[in-house]
């Protein structure tokens, strides 16, 4: 279980790379990869009894959900804010 931190780190770095893209589709994938990394960090945090990390990842998960929804095109063509 301790090895979970390594895939979590790799997925987090990949997500950051994708979110920085100017391509909407790549950014969207980045948010989903960030959410996967949040889950991996929560699993590792639970094993390590790192409860502050778990709370942080839950907050970041909520922000990533928001980011993914804001990345979608709006119905009226205006930017989502």
């Amino acid at each position: 279980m301790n090895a979970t931190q390594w895939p979590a780190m790799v997925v987090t770095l990949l997500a950051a790379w994708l979110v920085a893209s100017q391509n909407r589709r790549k950014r969207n994938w980045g948010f989903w990869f960030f959410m996967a990394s949040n889950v991996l960090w929560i699993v590792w945090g639970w094993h390590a009894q790192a409860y502050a990390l778990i709370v942080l990842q839950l907050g970041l998960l909520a922000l990533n959900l928001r980011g993914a929804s804001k990345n979608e095109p709006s119905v009226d063509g205006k930017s989502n804010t």
Side-chain angles (χ1 to χ4, degrees):
M1 186 60 79
N2 199 33
T4 307
Q5 64 186 316
W6 293 104
M9 181 207 54
V10 170
V11 174
T12 302
L13 289 173
L14 175 61
W17 178 268
L18 291 169
V19 165
S21 175
Q22 292 182 348
N23 180 289
R24 180 177 296 233
R25 185 177 169 145
K26 286 182 182 179
R27 274 195 318 270
N28 194 50
W29 275 107
F31 286 116
W32 286 100
F33 273 91
F34 262 133
M35 288 183 259
S37 77
N38 296 137
V39 171
L40 289 169
W41 282 117
I42 289 169
V43 168
W44 182 81
W46 188 265
H47 169 72
Q49 297 180 341
Y51 301 114
L53 176 68
I54 293 169
V55 173
L56 171 65
Q57 294 304 315
L58 289 171
L60 292 173
L61 180 63
L63 292 172
N64 286 317
L65 284 168
R66 181 178 185 266
S69 71
K70 295 284 186 178
N71 191 47
E72 295 299 319
S74 63
V75 176
D76 61 4
K78 296 179 182 174
S79 65
N80 292 333
T81 55

